[in-house]
Amino acid sequence: MHFNHYGGEAARLAADLVNLTAPPPPEHLESLLATHGVVHRTLTAAQAETIWTWSRRLAACFGPQDLEERCQAVNTLLADASSSPRISLHDGRPHLHYSATGADAAAHIRAVTAAGLAYVVCSASAERLGRCARHDCGLAFVDTSRNGRRVYCSVRCANNDAVARHRERVHGDARPSTARKTRRT
């Protein structure tokens, strides 16, 4: 599945922010933002804290849930991001920007991630905002597979879960396996 920069890439940024396990220092966030192509990524400590708080709110949009519930969660984020999409020509080609001109980096990240989640829900499928099915993982991910049936955050988790299921069958191990056996990454 092909996503544009502000759509799928922003949703993948949202997933990576959700997967943070502790409030990150600004330098760590700046590195993560660079990975996702965010240009204005210099953050103060207060902005990094704002992004951490925002990331906890983004989490409500990932994993199995009713479509209406997911749409409401994304709509709440869109409203709270207070963004007004606009067309920009700064690189010579028209494209959308989701934050106001002159917005600080934290406001830009809130607007972009909320818009990215909305893009995935509306242009791909709400089910593509998933949570890893492997026991004790649960990382958020954006399913970019062709058929939209991914249930693991990575090939490693899929393989680990397959090994656990195999051991359970062969040896009767009591380790739980939460994966659906009919779906693959």
Side-chain angles (χ1 to χ4, degrees), residues 77-86 97-100 107-108 110-112 114-115:
L77 292 172
L78 287 166
D80 293 347
S82 299
S83 65
S84 298
R86 61 186 175 78
H97 276 214
Y98 291 96
S99 58
H108 175 71
R110 286 191 314 269
V112 165

Short mmCIF file of all heavy atoms in Angstrom, two decimals, residues 77-86 97-100 107-108 110-112 114-115:
data_model
loop_
_atom_site.label_atom_id
_atom_site.label_comp_id
_atom_site.label_asym_id
_atom_site.label_seq_id
_atom_site.Cartn_x
_atom_site.Cartn_y
_atom_site.Cartn_z
N LEU A 77 -8.87 14.00 18.41
CA LEU A 77 -7.48 14.45 18.19
C LEU A 77 -7.43 15.58 17.17
O LEU A 77 -6.70 16.56 17.35
CB LEU A 77 -6.61 13.28 17.74
CG LEU A 77 -6.36 12.19 18.76
CD1 LEU A 77 -5.64 11.01 18.11
CD2 LEU A 77 -5.56 12.72 19.94
N LEU A 78 -8.19 15.43 16.08
CA LEU A 78 -8.21 16.48 15.06
C LEU A 78 -8.70 17.80 15.65
O LEU A 78 -8.13 18.86 15.38
CB LEU A 78 -9.11 16.08 13.88
CG LEU A 78 -8.56 15.00 12.95
CD1 LEU A 78 -9.68 14.46 12.06
CD2 LEU A 78 -7.41 15.53 12.13
N ALA A 79 -9.74 17.74 16.45
CA ALA A 79 -10.28 18.96 17.07
C ALA A 79 -9.26 19.58 18.03
O ALA A 79 -9.07 20.80 18.05
CB ALA A 79 -11.58 18.66 17.80
N ASP A 80 -8.60 18.73 18.80
CA ASP A 80 -7.63 19.24 19.78
C ASP A 80 -6.34 19.72 19.13
O ASP A 80 -5.63 20.54 19.72
CB ASP A 80 -7.33 18.17 20.83
CG ASP A 80 -8.54 17.89 21.71
OD1 ASP A 80 -9.52 18.68 21.66
OD2 ASP A 80 -8.52 16.89 22.43
N ALA A 81 -6.04 19.21 17.94
CA ALA A 81 -4.84 19.69 17.23
C ALA A 81 -5.07 21.07 16.65
O ALA A 81 -4.12 21.78 16.32
CB ALA A 81 -4.45 18.71 16.12
N SER A 82 -6.34 21.45 16.52
CA SER A 82 -6.72 22.78 16.03
C SER A 82 -5.97 23.15 14.75
O SER A 82 -5.39 24.22 14.63
CB SER A 82 -6.47 23.85 17.09
OG SER A 82 -7.24 23.60 18.22
N SER A 83 -5.98 22.24 13.81
CA SER A 83 -5.26 22.53 12.57
C SER A 83 -6.22 22.92 11.47
O SER A 83 -7.38 22.53 11.47
CB SER A 83 -4.45 21.30 12.13
OG SER A 83 -5.32 20.25 11.81
N SER A 84 -5.72 23.70 10.57
CA SER A 84 -6.46 24.08 9.38
C SER A 84 -5.59 23.75 8.18
O SER A 84 -4.59 24.42 7.93
CB SER A 84 -6.75 25.59 9.38
OG SER A 84 -7.56 25.92 10.47
N PRO A 85 -5.93 22.70 7.46
CA PRO A 85 -5.11 22.33 6.30
C PRO A 85 -5.02 23.50 5.32
O PRO A 85 -5.96 24.27 5.16
CB PRO A 85 -5.85 21.15 5.69
CG PRO A 85 -6.71 20.62 6.78
CD PRO A 85 -7.06 21.80 7.63
N ARG A 86 -3.86 23.61 4.69
CA ARG A 86 -3.66 24.65 3.69
C ARG A 86 -2.69 24.13 2.65
O ARG A 86 -1.89 23.23 2.92
CB ARG A 86 -3.13 25.93 4.32
CG ARG A 86 -1.79 25.74 4.99
CD ARG A 86 -1.33 26.99 5.74
NE ARG A 86 -0.12 26.71 6.46
CZ ARG A 86 1.08 26.66 5.91
NH1 ARG A 86 1.24 26.90 4.64
NH2 ARG A 86 2.14 26.39 6.64
N HIS A 97 -0.28 21.24 3.98
CA HIS A 97 0.32 21.38 5.31
C HIS A 97 -0.84 21.37 6.30
O HIS A 97 -1.89 21.94 6.03
CB HIS A 97 1.10 22.69 5.44
CG HIS A 97 2.49 22.60 4.92
ND1 HIS A 97 3.53 23.29 5.46
CD2 HIS A 97 3.01 21.88 3.89
CE1 HIS A 97 4.64 23.01 4.80
NE2 HIS A 97 4.34 22.17 3.84
N TYR A 98 -0.64 20.74 7.43
CA TYR A 98 -1.73 20.58 8.39
C TYR A 98 -1.62 21.47 9.61
O TYR A 98 -2.49 21.44 10.47
CB TYR A 98 -1.84 19.11 8.81
CG TYR A 98 -2.32 18.26 7.67
CD1 TYR A 98 -1.42 17.57 6.87
CD2 TYR A 98 -3.66 18.18 7.36
CE1 TYR A 98 -1.87 16.81 5.81
CE2 TYR A 98 -4.11 17.42 6.31
CZ TYR A 98 -3.21 16.73 5.53
OH TYR A 98 -3.65 15.99 4.48
N SER A 99 -0.57 22.25 9.71
CA SER A 99 -0.47 23.16 10.84
C SER A 99 -0.34 24.58 10.32
O SER A 99 0.05 24.82 9.18
CB SER A 99 0.73 22.80 11.73
OG SER A 99 1.92 22.82 10.99
N ALA A 100 -0.65 25.52 11.18
CA ALA A 100 -0.63 26.93 10.80
C ALA A 100 0.79 27.40 10.52
O ALA A 100 1.75 26.88 11.09
CB ALA A 100 -1.25 27.77 11.90
N ALA A 107 3.08 21.70 18.00
CA ALA A 107 1.77 21.91 17.37
C ALA A 107 1.74 21.25 16.00
O ALA A 107 0.73 20.64 15.61
CB ALA A 107 1.47 23.40 17.25
N HIS A 108 2.84 21.35 15.27
CA HIS A 108 2.93 20.73 13.95
C HIS A 108 2.81 19.21 14.07
O HIS A 108 2.06 18.57 13.32
CB HIS A 108 4.25 21.11 13.28
CG HIS A 108 4.49 20.42 11.99
ND1 HIS A 108 3.77 20.71 10.85
CD2 HIS A 108 5.34 19.42 11.67
CE1 HIS A 108 4.19 19.93 9.87
NE2 HIS A 108 5.14 19.13 10.34
N ARG A 110 1.40 17.44 16.46
CA ARG A 110 0.02 17.08 16.84
C ARG A 110 -0.89 17.12 15.60
O ARG A 110 -1.67 16.20 15.37
CB ARG A 110 -0.52 18.04 17.92
CG ARG A 110 0.09 17.79 19.29
CD ARG A 110 -0.63 18.55 20.40
NE ARG A 110 -0.92 19.93 20.10
CZ ARG A 110 -0.10 20.95 20.38
NH1 ARG A 110 1.05 20.75 20.98
NH2 ARG A 110 -0.45 22.19 20.06
N ALA A 111 -0.80 18.19 14.83
CA ALA A 111 -1.65 18.33 13.65
C ALA A 111 -1.36 17.25 12.62
O ALA A 111 -2.28 16.64 12.07
CB ALA A 111 -1.46 19.72 13.04
N VAL A 112 -0.10 16.99 12.36
CA VAL A 112 0.27 16.02 11.34
C VAL A 112 -0.13 14.60 11.74
O VAL A 112 -0.65 13.84 10.92
CB VAL A 112 1.80 16.11 11.05
CG1 VAL A 112 2.29 14.91 10.28
CG2 VAL A 112 2.09 17.39 10.29
N ALA A 114 -2.50 13.64 13.87
CA ALA A 114 -3.96 13.51 13.84
C ALA A 114 -4.46 13.39 12.40
O ALA A 114 -5.30 12.53 12.09
CB ALA A 114 -4.61 14.71 14.54
N ALA A 115 -3.93 14.21 11.51
CA ALA A 115 -4.32 14.15 10.10
C ALA A 115 -3.89 12.82 9.47
O ALA A 115 -4.62 12.25 8.65
CB ALA A 115 -3.73 15.33 9.34
#
